């Protein structure tokens, strides 16, 4: 099931990019791809939490690459934690993991702010960060695989 969700998200993302409607510079407003992914991932705004194949987990490993200095920072976030890296502030809103009997996947809902404005609010897949890429001139942000205990 998680592979199907990933492929659907990828297809939706490609359609959105082709229609030029997925700019992450829109102040963090939800776009069509985000809404559809949230339905599949069980976002409570869409009343489908019980139908989600993903398990909620309490933390995620986030990698931040400073493209100018070449520094790579790794930080373990608990859900709700925020940290500042240079000019951006990253908050982990939710983290989900695939069930143990499915292909391994970690998904994190991240809110990224710069100059007190939300510049990114979307799910990032550890296995396919390009599905929803945080596009920034200085920073790359990724979710890393790690071992989780389901809540």
């Amino acid at each position: 099931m998680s592979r199907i969700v990933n492929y659907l998200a990828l297809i939706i993302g490609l359609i959105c990019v082709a229609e030029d409607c997925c700019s992450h510079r829109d102040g963090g407003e939800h776009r069509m791809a985000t809404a559809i992914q949230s339905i599949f991932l069980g976002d409570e705004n869409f009343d489908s939490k019980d139908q989600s194949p993903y398990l909620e987990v309490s933390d995620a490993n986030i990698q931040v690459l400073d493209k100018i200095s070449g520094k790579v920072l790794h930080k373990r976030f608990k859900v709700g934690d925020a940290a500042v890296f240079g000019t951006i502030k990253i908050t982990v809103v939710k983290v989900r993991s695939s069930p143990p009997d499915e292909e391994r996947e970690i998904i994190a809902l991240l809110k990224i702010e710069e100059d007190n404005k939300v510049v990114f609010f979307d799910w990032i897949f550890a296995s396919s960060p390009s599905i929803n890429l945080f596009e920034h001139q200085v920073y790359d942000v990724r979710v890393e695989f790690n071992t989780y205990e389901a809540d």
Side-chain angles (χ1 to χ4, degrees):
M1 180 70 167
S2 65
R3 190 177 286 177
I4 293 169
V5 171
N6 287 346
Y7 290 136
L8 277 173
L10 178 61
I11 291 167
I12 291 164
L14 292 173
I15 291 168
C16 227
V17 168
E19 293 178 1
D20 197 28
C21 66
C22 273
S23 171
H24 290 294
R25 297 178 187 91
D26 61 0
E29 294 179 13
H30 290 277
R31 295 162 314 281
M32 178 181 70
T34 302
I36 292 173
Q37 287 172 15
S38 295
I39 289 169
F40 284 106
L41 296 173
D43 191 348
E44 69 273 1
N45 294 331
F46 296 94
D47 249 357
S48 61
K49 188 172 186 175
D50 294 336
Q51 299 172 17
S52 174
Y54 289 89
L55 307 171
E56 292 209 30
V57 292
S58 60
D59 52 5
N61 282 344
I62 305 296
Q63 172 190 304
V64 181
L65 167 67
D66 182 327
K67 295 187 249 184
I68 295 174
S69 70
K71 278 188 170 181
V72 178
L73 304 165
H74 302 270
K75 180 166 175 51
R76 188 176 192 98
F77 284 80
K78 294 267 184 211
V79 171
D81 282 355
V84 175
F85 297 95
T87 62
I88 62 171
K89 177 182 173 184
I90 301 171
T91 304
V92 174
V93 179
K94 286 187 178 190
V95 182
R96 301 269 170 97
S97 175
S98 58
D101 60 336
E102 298 215 5
E103 187 175 337
R104 189 166 180 227
E105 181 63 280
I106 304 293
I107 306 160
L109 179 59
L110 302 181
K111 179 171 88 169
I112 302 175
E113 300 170 82
E114 187 171 40
D115 299 327
N116 294 322
K117 290 172 56 178
V118 176
V119 294
F120 183 86
F121 187 82
D122 222 331
W123 293 95
I124 294 183
F125 293 76
S127 66
S128 305
S130 61
I131 288 177
N132 273 335
L133 185 63
F134 170 60
E135 296 181 39
H136 192 272
Q137 62 271 22
V138 178
Y139 302 102
D140 276 343
V141 177
R142 295 176 183 250
V143 175
E144 298 182 308
F145 284 108
N146 55 347
T147 305
Y148 291 104
E149 294 296 323
D151 290 343

